[in-house]
Amino acid sequence: MNFTTRLALLVVVVCSMAEAKSSAAAPPNKAASTYSRASFVPPASPTLTKAGWPSAANHPSRVQKQIVTGYGTELLGRKKNTGSSSTKTAAVPPVTKNGKIQIKMLTSVPNIGQAGDIVFVSSAVFQNQLQRQKKARLISAEEVALIEAEKQKEEAEATQKAIDTKKMMEETMLASVGEECSTDQDICGVALTMKRKAGPEGNLFGGINPKMIMEELANAFPDGSWEGKQVKLTDMKDSDGKDVKKKDIKHTGEYTCVVKLGSDVDVTFILSVVAE
């Protein structure tokens, strides 16, 4: 075998060894997967749309909206009242007279009435002015009857208390009657005495007005009836019969006074003003 042949064989052996070495170092081939990786698809954002017709729940007058989702629609609106009818407050049947309705004033309103008054107004005035501002409410005939009965009871109690007050003052006057009281006088006996600083001739240092007299009466007869707008001094005359109610008392002496204690109860008494 010549040199050329040996060299050729050597090259073939070296190439075979190099190929075998590279095949041993390479990793085994994996079978190609039959599945492809899924790509992420973001969900659609909710869209806000108006509900459509013809459903009554979707009518434009209700101004409802929908949130459109992948699972359906959800209505946004007022919830229906599913409670039983027995829980609802029964409407008060209005009392009408000459085309007007009867109401009770909750607050004072000029030219209509004071708080607590029961008056008749037109339905337009009640609905547009009083009811909206919560200044009045409807009142039934039954409520009016109860209020009237309570009012009559209070008036009867006030009248009886006024009568008792008059009796107390008259008893005080009778207890103070002396020999100086003549039989031709309509009234005699002092019911109230007020002491004031006065000069030698009886002129007072400061006058006495009706308010001061009423305060002295309340102090002298603490169990009497002195409260209420109807209780007031209605008349005051001096010993000569001159009306001095509009002026303050400026001199010592006896004065005939009349006090209104109730709607039908008056008491006439003698006020004695003396120097301290």
Side-chain angles (χ1 to χ4, degrees), residues 9-199:
L9 291 173
L10 180 60
V11 171
V12 172
V13 172
V14 172
C15 291
S16 299
M17 292 176 64
E19 185 177 355
K21 185 177 181 180
S22 61
S23 298
N29 294 333
K30 293 183 179 180
S33 176
T34 58
Y35 300 97
S36 61
R37 180 178 298 177
S39 60
F40 176 75
V41 179
S45 300
T47 58
L48 194 64
T49 62
K50 289 185 178 180
W53 289 9
S55 172
N58 298 335
H59 196 276
S61 63
R62 302 192 63 176
V63 197
Q64 298 197 32
K65 296 182 179 180
Q66 293 178 332
I67 296 180
V68 181
T69 65
Y71 301 97
T73 60
E74 179 182 356
L75 292 177
L76 295 180
R78 295 182 178 178
K79 294 183 179 180
K80 294 183 179 180
N81 185 9
T82 57
S84 61
S85 59
S86 60
T87 59
K88 296 181 180 179
T89 303
V92 177
V95 180
T96 59
K97 182 180 179 181
N98 299 328
K100 296 184 177 181
I101 57 177
Q102 193 174 38
I103 62 172
K104 181 178 181 180
M105 301 299 300
L106 302 179
T107 60
S108 299
V109 178
N111 302 323
I112 296 181
Q114 303 295 320
D117 290 350
I118 299 175
V119 297
F120 283 90
V121 298
S122 65
S123 58
V125 171
F126 173 67
Q127 294 176 1
N128 298 331
Q129 180 180 355
L130 302 177
Q131 188 180 35
R132 288 186 177 182
Q133 300 177 6
K134 297 182 179 180
K135 294 183 177 180
R137 67 174 180 86
L138 291 175
I139 186 169
S140 65
E142 290 77 8
E143 287 183 277
V144 174
L146 290 175
I147 292 175
E148 290 297 331
E150 186 66 23
K151 184 178 179 181
Q152 292 177 1
K153 181 180 178 181
E154 292 177 355
E155 289 178 352
E157 292 176 352
T159 300
Q160 184 59 47
K161 196 169 184 179
I163 294 173
D164 295 341
T165 302
K166 180 179 179 178
K167 185 178 180 181
M168 284 189 295
M169 296 181 67
E170 290 177 345
E171 290 175 351
T172 301
M173 286 188 288
L174 288 175
S176 66
V177 172
E179 295 180 355
E180 68 277 4
C181 183
S182 60
T183 57
D184 59 347
Q185 288 180 284
D186 294 335
I187 183 173
C188 61
V190 176
L192 181 65
T193 301
M194 297 181 68
K195 295 181 179 181
R196 290 291 186 273
K197 292 182 179 180

Side-chain angles (χ1 to χ4, degrees), residues 208-228:
I208 298 176
N209 56 38
K211 183 179 179 181
M212 294 178 180
I213 297 175
M214 296 302 298
E215 291 175 351
E216 287 293 332
L217 285 172
N219 293 331
F221 303 94
D223 295 331
S225 176
W226 307 111
E227 297 180 356

